[in-house]
Amino acid sequence: MAGNNIQIDEKKLEYIRIISQMSAENASIVISKWLKKDITLNVLNVNLTTIEEISAGMKLDDEIVFAAATGLNGDIRGHFLFIFKLEDAFKMVDMVLKRPLGTTCETDEVVSSVVLETCNIVGSSFSNSLVNLLMIKLLPSAPVVCCDMGGAVMANVFSEYAEYGDNLFFIDTEYLQADTKISGYFFILPTPDSLPVMLKSMANGIECDSK
């Protein structure tokens, strides 16, 4: 599968950073309205990497995580994937329910629901930014959520995806509210035939911006 790896130049990577930041700003507005308090979603890092590198670098094997996946159809096919460590998912629930941090300490349907809605908001914002900036058609499906050991989640997702290709965009994010910080991992997993479409659309966007 190493032969499926695609190199990306810095201009295109910067373009996906711009898309990510715009998406984060839009998501911050929606989440803030939802929670009725100021929430800032920051993008810390964006990179095109491989399944092997992510699996080795995230070190989530022994962590319980919440993961939500959204299917993508249209000009770009594949998935959005969100992963939150358990303590971050609990913080998110306390933030949503306006409870003191540390109140939520067990996994239940409320935690799943909050993670699902958060991922739905961020995924929709990212989809809209991709559509508007890359001038493509994109139809995201309703997200699904699960709670399991990080190693099992990563293995299941990436083993299913590995048959399609090695490449994925990794976007490291954090959610800030006052003194509270919630970390999250966001992946774009395009199918091999969709990645060139994304890169070509980015190149066209860079051309238009430079004129």
Side-chain angles (χ1 to χ4, degrees):
M1 285 185 293
N4 292 334
N5 290 343
I6 293 178
Q7 299 298 316
I8 182 171
D9 62 50
E10 185 57 34
K11 284 186 177 179
K12 292 189 182 73
L13 192 56
E14 182 59 29
Y15 206 70
I16 199 71
R17 289 192 186 108
I18 292 170
I19 292 172
S20 300
Q21 193 54 55
M22 289 184 64
S23 304
E25 291 170 3
N26 293 335
S28 296
I29 294 170
V30 177
I31 293 175
S32 296
K33 288 180 179 178
W34 176 39
L35 300 183
K36 295 182 174 61
K37 60 177 67 176
D38 290 333
I39 305 291
T40 302
L41 173 57
N42 289 328
V43 174
L44 304 179
N45 182 39
V46 179
N47 204 2
L48 179 67
T49 184
T50 65
I51 293 171
E52 289 82 2
E53 288 171 351
I54 284 294
S55 297
M58 287 188 66
K59 299 178 181 178
L60 292 176
D61 287 1
D62 299 322
E63 298 250 15
I64 298 176
V65 303
F66 272 88
T70 298
L72 303 174
N73 290 293
D75 293 333
I76 294 174
R77 295 179 297 111
H79 288 86
F80 288 156
L81 174 66
F82 301 84
I83 293 180
F84 295 95
K85 293 181 180 179
L86 193 61
E87 62 266 27
D88 289 306
F90 288 166
K91 284 184 192 176
M92 194 177 296
V93 173
D94 288 338
M95 194 184 294
V96 169
L97 299 182
K98 300 178 176 59
R99 301 190 300 205
L101 292 179
T103 302
T104 303
C105 56
E106 294 183 359
T107 60
D108 56 22
E109 290 185 6
V110 175
V111 182
S112 296
S113 178
V114 168
V115 170
L116 203 61
E117 184 58 27
T118 302
C119 296
N120 192 37
I121 290 171
V122 177
S124 296
S125 295
F126 204 94
S127 296
N128 292 337
S129 296
L130 285 173
V131 168
N132 293 332
L133 290 176
L134 300 186
M135 304 298 290
I136 58 173
K137 293 179 181 178
L138 188 61
L139 301 171
S141 64
V144 293
V145 67
C146 73
C147 178
D148 204 339
M149 299 301 292
V153 170
M154 301 293 278
N156 288 340
V157 172
F158 292 150
S159 64
E160 179 179 341
Y161 183 73
E163 64 182 279
Y164 299 112
D166 279 341
N167 300 280
L168 63 148
F169 285 101
F170 168 64
I171 303 171
D172 194 8
T173 60
E174 67 177 8
Y175 303 72
L176 299 177
Q177 194 276 316
D179 295 328
T180 303
K181 180 175 76 171
I182 297 173
S183 299
Y185 304 103
F186 176 35
F187 304 89
I188 310 172
L189 296 89
T191 56
D193 57 331
S194 296
L195 187 54
V197 174
M198 282 187 71
L199 298 182
K200 183 178 180 181
S201 298
M202 287 178 203
N204 292 339
I206 291 168
E207 268 186 39
C208 292
D209 290 345
S210 63
K211 291 181 180 178

